[in-house]
Amino acid sequence: MPPKNKKKDAEASDDKFMRAARFGRVKNDLKMGFVGLPNVGKSTLTNLLAGACHAEAANYPFCTIDPNMVQAIVPDQKFKYLADTWKPPSVVPAVLKIVDIAGLIRGAAEGAGLGNAFLSHIAAVDGIFHLVRAFESEDIVHVDDTVDPIRDLETIQSELCLKDKEALSKVIEKEKDRIRKEKGIARSTDPPLGETFKSAYEKCLKLIESNTPVQTYEDFSMGEVDIIREFGLITTKPQIYVINMSKRNFLRKGNKWLPKIQEWVNTHGGGQIIPMSCEFEQDLMDLQDDKEAQKAFIQQCDEEVKSMGLSGPGFAVKSVVPRLIRSGRQSLCLQSFYTAGPKEVRAWTIMKGTHAPQAAGVIHTDFERGFIKAEVANFDDFKALHKGEPSMAKVKEAGKYRQEGKTYVMQEGDIVVFMHNVTASKKK
């Protein structure tokens, strides 16, 4: 078997996420939201991702009425290295905003339960963690009495698609009104729709009627994407399937439902699946103030895995929380650049493809308005060359400290100093 080309794999992965996020807002403060039935572990997992109990996790279907937003610190070894190198008084990591949305139930699109309010909360986030319950528990009731992840997937996907179908039913008349206004013709006139609009509408309708998220379809033209973006469809949002298993099933990396879930996802447009266990993660989090106890817990879990006759790197026991945060951020096409100095090391969040002046504007609008250039060092170059010094001197000596202009596209992990010059705004 030929060796894997990691660069090509990474580029293919980036392309996949860019396709998934193409319908979204172009912003740096995008949010992921947890979506699922009641009592599947959304509030518990939100607490775990934030590292604190921000949402009331209770065994009651509608205990989370208003969406609860938390900020999860993005795990980042490059940022940690820079902070450890400079040791400044201020250290500011990147964060991912996550919204805990109360549980949907069957009929939500028609207003059942607290459906309409919840669906509007889902519409307000930019990406979806679709949390699915795949564990049995006599202590935690299931809204449909029995555990069946496939039925639950169908329920949630159907409700989202029904809401999108309702939204689609209004776009044709809205487009005709736009054409009438643009051309100054009478309201009684029935203007013809553009071919791109019609093809975008028909493709979306076909996907939604087959219970398939619109964002999974790869062959939209750019013109169709621009039109669909205005439709306001929930299923255009990037979606990650998170499977909440029992601790035992998580340790053995197996569950009777996982193959069926994989098959369901594949037949509904595909998508990333992340198996995890809130039970395991909560036990680990409860010991966060006692590192020795945490280490002993992991060792105990390792022994349990070995007792099942399982071994190898694939059965290593570790938290999935960092992967969830990174995957959510990646699905929104967000990345970091760094500013580093004796006073502060900070990770700044931008979208992939952002140019240097716009990245400067994330720090301060004046930096974008008066942008002159960006002085940039690649993190790997800095790490290889700085010889332990909190300075760019060795990087400059090696000719690896670059000056970039307005057309420079920021790369993940750039260490940057922006040069700018802003004069007073002209009086109006």
Side-chain angles (χ1 to χ4, degrees):
M1 180 182 290
K4 289 185 178 180
N5 187 322
K6 291 185 177 180
K7 185 176 180 181
K8 283 189 176 179
D9 287 348
E11 289 173 353
S13 178
D14 282 349
D15 287 345
K16 177 184 72 176
F17 288 117
M18 289 299 281
R19 284 197 303 270
R22 64 201 144 156
F23 301 105
R25 299 181 301 141
V26 181
K27 294 274 188 178
N28 304 314
D29 61 344
L30 304 181
K31 301 183 290 290
M32 292 292 290
F34 274 112
V35 174
L37 295 175
N39 295 342
V40 297
K42 295 186 302 299
S43 295
T44 299
L45 190 47
T46 303
N47 297 341
L48 290 164
L49 290 172
C53 292
H54 288 279
E56 178 196 0
N59 182 22
Y60 183 72
F62 302 113
C63 69
T64 312
I65 305 300
D66 297 320
N68 228 302
M69 186 164 74
V70 298
Q71 295 192 117
I73 293 174
V74 177
D76 186 344
Q77 291 302 312
K78 294 177 182 177
F79 173 78
K80 185 178 184 299
Y81 185 89
L82 294 175
D84 290 343
T85 299
W86 261 274
K87 297 180 174 60
S90 175
V91 175
V92 185
V95 296
L96 175 66
K97 293 180 180 179
I98 300 170
V99 180
D100 173 20
I101 301 168
L104 284 173
I105 61 172
R106 190 176 291 106
E110 285 78 42
L114 299 174
N116 285 325
F118 296 165
L119 286 163
S120 69
H121 293 154
I122 296 170
V125 300
D126 303 284
I128 294 172
F129 283 124
H130 187 159
L131 188 58
V132 182
R133 175 174 172 174
F135 67 90
E136 300 281 354
S137 174
E138 293 180 359
D139 299 324
I140 304 175
V141 298
H142 191 289
V143 70
D144 289 326
D145 296 326
T146 58
V147 174
D148 185 341
I150 304 305
R151 177 198 60 209
D152 296 351
L153 284 163
E154 285 287 350
T155 296
I156 297 298
Q157 198 62 61
S158 294
E159 294 304 319
L160 300 184
C161 286
L162 281 170
K163 197 66 178 175
D164 278 356
K165 192 171 182 180
E166 179 188 323
L168 270 183
S169 69
K170 301 171 184 176
V171 300
I172 289 181
E173 193 54 43
K174 185 178 177 181
E175 175 66 4
K176 287 182 178 179
D177 282 343
R178 185 193 68 78
I179 295 170
R180 291 186 192 106
K181 186 176 180 181
E182 186 180 273
K183 295 187 175 181
I185 56 181
R187 186 162 180 78
S188 58
T189 306
D190 188 22
L193 297 169
E195 290 303 315
T196 305
F197 179 93
K198 286 194 290 185
S199 66
Y201 173 85
E202 288 164 4
K203 287 176 183 178
C204 287
L205 185 61
K206 185 176 179 180
L207 289 162
I208 288 166
E209 287 182 337
S210 66
N211 221 23
T212 301
V214 172
Q215 60 91 5
T216 61
Y217 188 72
E218 297 183 1
D219 294 329
F220 289 117
S221 68
M222 287 307 298
E224 289 170 337
V225 168
D226 289 340
I227 288 168
I228 294 167
R229 196 179 288 125
E230 299 301 314
F231 288 173
L233 305 179
I234 291 173
T235 64
T236 57
K237 301 177 188 296
Q239 190 167 174
I240 297 171
Y241 297 94
V242 183
I243 315 304
N244 187 9
M245 306 187 294
S246 67
K247 176 183 168 184
R248 178 175 172 79
N249 282 343
F250 172 70
L251 293 178
R252 71 185 187 90
K253 302 292 188 285
N255 177 289
K256 68 179 182 180
W257 291 106
L258 285 179
K260 297 176 183 177
I261 292 169
Q262 181 69 69
E263 182 183 353
W264 186 93
V265 171
N266 289 344
T267 57
H268 288 76
Q272 185 180 14
I273 299 174
I274 302 179
M276 54 81 62
S277 169
C278 283
E279 180 187 359
F280 167 82
E281 299 290 352
Q282 188 67 65
D283 288 348
L284 187 62
M285 176 68 77
D286 289 344
L287 301 171
Q288 64 178 333
D289 296 329
D290 187 340
K291 296 303 178 187
E292 287 302 314
Q294 233 182 21
K295 186 177 178 182
F297 172 73
I298 293 293
Q299 288 175 341
Q300 179 186 337
C301 291
D302 279 329
E303 291 302 320
E304 190 175 337
V305 170
K306 289 176 183 175
S307 72
M308 299 178 201
L310 305 171
S311 61
F315 294 98
V317 178
K318 61 182 179 180
S319 172
V320 177
V321 167
R323 182 185 171 195
L324 278 171
I325 297 171
R326 282 193 293 263
S327 295
R329 198 164 187 255
Q330 190 176 21
S331 75
L332 296 175
C333 289
L334 299 176
Q335 65 182 37
S336 292
F337 71 87
Y338 310 112
T339 52
K343 293 182 179 180
E344 181 180 81
V345 170
R346 182 185 288 248
W348 301 88
T349 299
I350 55 174
M351 291 199 77
K352 290 184 187 296
T354 298
H355 288 85
Q358 287 68 53
V362 173
I363 299 176
H364 196 287
T365 53
D366 282 353
F367 285 24
E368 179 178 358
R369 188 159 61 92
F371 179 88
I372 298 173
K373 63 182 177 180
E375 297 183 347
V376 185
N378 174 273
F379 173 83
D380 292 335
D381 289 338
F382 171 77
K383 186 177 180 180
L385 296 167
H386 77 108
K387 298 188 183 302
E389 293 297 318
S391 165
M392 289 290 173
K394 298 292 184 185
V395 182
K396 291 178 180 178
E397 287 175 14
K400 296 292 186 179
Y401 196 70
R402 316 186 311 274
Q403 293 186 358
E404 302 288 357
K406 293 181 178 181
T407 60
Y408 176 67
V409 177
M410 300 292 291
Q411 301 300 307
E412 174 71 45
D414 279 345
I415 307 168
V416 191
V417 174
F418 291 109
M419 308 303 289
H420 70 288
N421 181 27
V422 177
T423 55
S425 300
K426 293 180 180 179
K427 291 182 180 179
K428 293 182 180 178

